[in-house]
Amino acid sequence: MTKFISICALVTSILLLTSGRPVKTYSELYRPQFHFSPEKNWMNDPDGLVYYEGEYHLFYQYNPKGNEWGYMHWGHAVSTDLVHWKNLPIAIYPDNNSTDKVKCTAWSGSAIVDKNNVTGLQEGSYKTLLAFYTSRGCGQRLAYSNDKGRTWKKYAGNPIIPEAPGEETRDPKVFWYKPGNHWVMVLYRMPGGDKAKEGISIYSSTDLAHWTFESHITGYYECPDLFTLPLDGDSAKMKWALLGGDGSYMLGDFDGKHFTPESGKKVLDYGQNFYAAQTWSNAPDGKRIQIAWMRESKYPGMPFTGQMSFPTELSLKSTPDGPRIFRTPVSEISSLYGKKMDKTDKNIIPGLKNYNLLKGIHNECVRITGVFDVKSSNMFGITVRKSRKEAGTEISYDVKKQLLTCIGSQMPLAPVNNKIKLDILVDRASIEIFANNGEKVITDNFTPAEQADDMELWTHGGELMVDSLEVHEIKSIWRE
């Protein structure tokens, strides 16, 4: 009895000692476990995405002073696999010694590798990394690094494009245009401050320091991107895609100076939290890899604000409605897989006992993939992060309306051969749904109840055939 009392006293002492301790960084209640977020403070747009010497660089809009927007710097992280990230010191600071919340702060932009030392800035054996960014109200500027992005210097000839009085300009994206043997910059611009004229301006350069205006396209807002994709994997059928801040895009032709649309605007993401998407330059194997800021991130009591979407690989595929950009999670996610559950050829009948194929799976972070034959179902779906006390969050598909819904986001989705294919990433504070091989995507944030980690597969009104269903536990990128 004495021994039992001693053990109880020891346990009580441990609980009392640890009860007031702060939660370890990257273990907080709403901390993303496999999506990037900063240790603390505000984060928004991804910037300067570039691959060099085995590292993917992720820069981002960052406020080192607090958990709200303002005082923008370029935060910095690197990864060798697009999954595990290492935080590095702040890369780019405001210009002109600005301490203002907005004036001359380091806004969004892009980065490239100066492979041929066009700028003459290279020192040492490493190629120079060039970062093009908007110094808010102080023009487009250039910073460079000769040590694989660890330290940065400002170009002496800044600004490389001055901001005209009364104009809005920001978010330069720079890339090499091989047929014309010159560099191209796409830049959000509101000529003369006229809202009706806002869009994307195209500039060209042969030395990366002096830029010539070429053309302007209206109807876009912020964070432009312009790149090529092979249609159905055929390099002889390349198409250009022009994107804006909300992810909307047009396909067309580009001659190095003018973009000619061949389609109207298309939706890249139907969620409420996908914004400022950018793609990596110099990515290996010619891959087009994209990441976005999951905007409007509100996580009560957390030391940080903002997270990135999970990196996706883009492809261009033919559909009955014409060519469309498809997005799928990068394959490196498999390095995070833990326990696995898989089931095939299961017929689900509403109301029958044990029809929930996801019963008994308990985890906050999972990847769920499934192929569902809608058969006679009126509506089916998966509910995640539920418990006895909490209803959880529904991902539902209305068969008659051909509409997929999650957290208020709605996405039109037609079955293919009467089947719906879903690939769902669930993290502590986000849900990403890639439907029908990534043809359509929803990106949403959420704040589920603590310790609610049950899941349910359900159907209403009729039978649902589950051709296949896999669930992978996703391990944290922040813990060994």
Side-chain angles (χ1 to χ4, degrees):
M1 184 68 178
T2 303
K3 184 177 180 181
F4 175 76
I5 293 173
S6 298
I7 292 173
C8 288
L10 177 61
V11 171
T12 301
S13 298
I14 292 171
L15 290 173
L16 288 172
L17 286 170
T18 59
S19 61
R21 290 179 181 175
V23 177
K24 185 179 179 181
T25 302
Y26 286 109
S27 295
E28 302 94 343
L29 174 60
Y30 294 124
R31 172 69 73 173
Q33 293 300 288
F34 63 98
H35 292 71
F36 178 79
S37 62
E39 285 190 58
K40 60 180 181 179
N41 299 340
W42 172 277
M43 178 189 76
N44 57 284
D45 305 2
D47 298 322
L49 306 181
V50 64
Y51 177 84
Y52 180 62
E53 289 285 304
E55 292 180 326
Y56 293 90
H57 291 264
L58 169 61
F59 300 90
Y60 51 89
Q61 293 288 276
Y62 182 65
N63 176 10
K65 293 175 181 267
N67 220 356
E68 67 286 329
W69 181 89
Y71 308 102
M72 290 294 102
H73 295 57
W74 274 29
H76 190 194
V78 293
S79 173
T80 58
D81 62 2
L82 289 168
V83 175
H84 300 87
W85 295 96
K86 177 183 178 182
N87 288 303
L88 294 178
I90 290 172
I92 299 178
Y93 288 75
D95 291 286
N96 301 347
N97 297 315
S98 174
T99 58
D100 188 77
K101 187 174 183 178
V102 177
K103 183 68 172 178
C104 288
T105 51
W107 280 27
S108 295
S110 59
I112 61 171
V113 181
D114 187 2
K115 297 179 181 179
N116 298 315
N117 196 24
V118 173
T119 58
L121 295 172
Q122 182 175 337
E123 300 173 0
S125 59
Y126 292 123
K127 299 298 182 182
T128 306
L129 299 184
L130 305 178
F132 300 85
Y133 67 100
T134 298
S135 184
R136 187 68 179 111
C138 299
Q140 312 314 310
R141 302 205 171 198
L142 173 63
Y144 63 97
S145 172
N146 284 307
D147 57 2
K148 297 176 61 178
R150 268 52 183 182
T151 60
W152 292 81
K153 299 176 182 178
K154 302 291 181 71
Y155 177 58
N158 282 330
I160 54 175
I161 301 179
E163 186 165 276
E167 282 201 353
E168 287 272 351
T169 56
R170 54 182 173 270
D171 313 333
K173 178 61 182 284
V174 174
F175 63 92
W176 175 246
Y177 181 70
K178 186 176 181 180
N181 201 36
H182 66 257
W183 297 89
V184 171
M185 176 192 292
V186 286
L187 180 72
Y188 166 75
R189 184 164 162 259
M190 190 189 296
D194 186 348
K195 183 74 174 176
K197 296 180 181 178
E198 75 173 354
I200 298 172
S201 286
I202 296 172
Y203 295 77
S204 66
S205 175
T206 57
D207 65 3
L208 292 166
H210 301 87
W211 294 87
T212 301
F213 172 79
E214 300 292 356
S215 62
H216 184 77
I217 303 167
T218 60
Y220 280 92
Y221 182 67
E222 294 190 327
C223 304
D225 203 353
L226 180 60
F227 52 81
T228 57
L229 289 170
L231 180 60
D232 299 320
D234 187 347
S235 59
K237 297 180 180 179
M238 302 297 289
K239 292 287 185 182
W240 285 88
L242 179 67
L243 287 74
D246 62 357
S248 61
Y249 67 95
M250 288 193 295
L251 299 174
D253 187 40
F254 180 62
D255 64 4
K257 297 182 179 181
H258 304 86
F259 178 83
T260 304
E262 296 176 354
S263 73
K265 274 190 177 181
K266 308 303 178 186
V267 178
L268 191 64
D269 194 289
Y270 289 84
Q272 302 171 81
N273 304 114
F274 183 87
Y275 197 74
Q278 290 290 296
T279 57
W280 265 271
S281 69
N282 200 44
D285 303 319
K287 291 182 178 181
R288 183 59 57 178
I289 301 168
Q290 185 184 65
I291 199 169
W293 169 45
M294 299 182 75
R295 66 177 174 181
E296 302 300 327
S297 308
K298 298 176 181 177
Y299 312 124
M302 295 296 100
F304 68 98
T305 299
Q307 66 173 312
M308 294 298 175
S309 65
F310 192 80
T312 56
E313 184 173 352
L314 306 186
S315 58
L316 186 64
K317 298 181 182 181
S318 298
T319 76
D321 298 318
R324 295 290 186 271
I325 293 178
F326 283 55
R327 294 164 50 211
T328 53
V330 294
S331 60
E332 289 85 350
I333 191 174
S334 62
S335 68
L336 300 177
Y337 286 173
K339 295 178 182 178
K340 174 187 175 182
M341 180 282 290
D342 65 277
K343 296 184 180 180
T344 58
D345 300 325
K346 300 292 183 180
N347 195 45
I348 307 301
I349 302 174
L352 289 187
K353 187 178 181 181
N354 296 327
Y355 81 102
N356 176 24
L357 299 183
L358 296 175
K359 185 177 181 180
I361 299 175
H362 304 281
N363 208 282
E364 296 177 319
C365 304
V366 293
R367 184 182 194 179
I368 307 168
T369 56
V371 179
F372 307 94
D373 188 325
V374 298
K375 292 190 74 175
S376 59
S377 176
N378 292 333
M379 180 177 288
F380 77 91
I382 295 173
T383 303
V384 299
R385 298 302 305 271
K386 63 175 295 185
S387 68
R388 290 183 179 181
K389 295 182 179 180
E390 301 293 335
T393 298
E394 277 191 5
I395 301 163
S396 63
Y397 181 72
D398 189 310
V399 177
K400 185 176 181 180
K401 294 180 179 179
Q402 296 190 350
L403 193 67
L404 189 129
T405 302
C406 179
I407 319 179
S409 298
Q410 294 188 324
M411 178 171 70
L413 184 66
V416 177
N417 298 323
N418 211 49
K419 297 178 182 181
I420 295 293
K421 186 174 183 179
L422 299 178
D423 185 351
I424 304 168
L425 303 183
V426 181
D427 204 337
R428 282 186 180 174
S430 65
I431 298 177
E432 292 163 294
I433 307 166
F434 304 86
N436 291 351
N437 297 312
E439 178 182 0
K440 295 184 177 180
V441 185
I442 284 178
T443 301
D444 276 335
N445 295 327
F446 76 148
T447 48
E450 186 173 6
Q451 296 181 341
D453 58 5
D454 290 343
M455 290 182 283
E456 180 182 3
L457 171 68
W458 49 267
T459 179
H460 294 162
E463 297 181 18
L464 175 74
M465 184 67 187
V466 180
D467 288 2
S468 63
L469 181 65
E470 283 189 4
V471 180
H472 289 274
E473 172 189 300
I474 301 294
K475 294 179 288 187
S476 174
I477 65 175
W478 304 114
R479 295 191 295 274
E480 293 296 333

